[in-house]
Amino acid sequence: MTPDTETIRITYLDWVRRSAALGFVLVVLIAAEQMAVRADFWGAPGGGDALRYLFWAAAVAGAFMGRGLKKRGPRSDETDRLAASRSLSWTLVSLAILPTAVGFVLSIMTRSATDFFTMFLVSLGAYVMLFPHYKDWLDWASDHATHEEEEE
């Protein structure tokens, strides 16, 4: 059953308000990283070049995986389309923030603030790319039978 547009709008706005708190995670990670930079143990940048590339690849791969999830939408066997849209939206926003968390861990390991801020920029790009808009929720909540007929 497809929910009406007003129900989708109310649910979407509620989700946006709740998900705004996840943006606060980025601010907390920036503050924590800056405190770590100023700590006595920080020292000169270390090695870890191979590890750096592995972390970068994992973070960027997560963002592209989210892009594929966003295009595909919720699973077609979900009966509650709004719950499925909400769950997918949380997954997408989490995947967008993931590069910053990975960058934080990498910057602690390599003692390089550049790693953190590079990952922060990747995360901002992923956030812009993956953040689900109201139009996406309308598409996801619509009946999949109509989408399958359109594709054929």
Side-chain angles (χ1 to χ4, degrees):
M1 181 176 153
T2 304
D4 65 340
T5 306
E6 184 63 22
T7 305
I8 295 170
R9 187 183 72 77
I10 291 169
T11 307
Y12 175 74
L13 290 175
D14 181 53
W15 176 82
V16 168
R17 282 186 210 102
R18 292 172 190 249
S19 68
L22 270 174
F24 186 67
V25 169
L26 296 175
V27 174
V28 169
L29 284 173
I30 289 172
E33 196 273 338
Q34 287 301 305
M35 287 173 40
V37 167
R38 287 163 177 66
D40 291 337
F41 76 87
W42 191 260
D49 289 332
L51 186 65
R52 176 178 291 131
Y53 294 127
L54 177 68
F55 274 54
W56 284 355
V60 172
F64 281 105
M65 184 178 78
R67 186 173 173 220
L69 284 173
K70 185 177 179 182
K71 279 186 177 182
R72 190 190 75 207
R75 293 191 330 231
S76 59
D77 62 346
E78 291 283 339
T79 55
D80 185 358
R81 304 301 296 163
L82 287 179
S85 297
R86 188 180 306 117
S87 176
L88 178 60
S89 296
W90 281 117
T91 302
L92 292 173
V93 170
S94 298
L95 285 171
I97 291 175
L98 181 68
T100 299
V102 170
F104 178 75
V105 171
L106 181 62
S107 72
I108 297 296
M109 294 171 69
T110 62
R111 297 183 309 273
S112 172
T114 305
D115 290 330
F116 174 77
F117 286 110
T118 302
M119 290 297 214
F120 179 74
L121 290 175
V122 169
S123 192
L124 287 179
Y127 201 79
V128 167
M129 180 174 69
L130 297 179
F131 190 84
H133 300 284
Y134 177 63
K135 179 186 159 296
D136 296 325
W137 274 53
L138 288 174
D139 290 343
W140 296 338
S142 66
D143 191 13
H144 272 274
T146 57
H147 287 297
E148 290 171 1
E149 290 172 3
E150 291 172 0
E151 290 176 3
E152 291 176 358

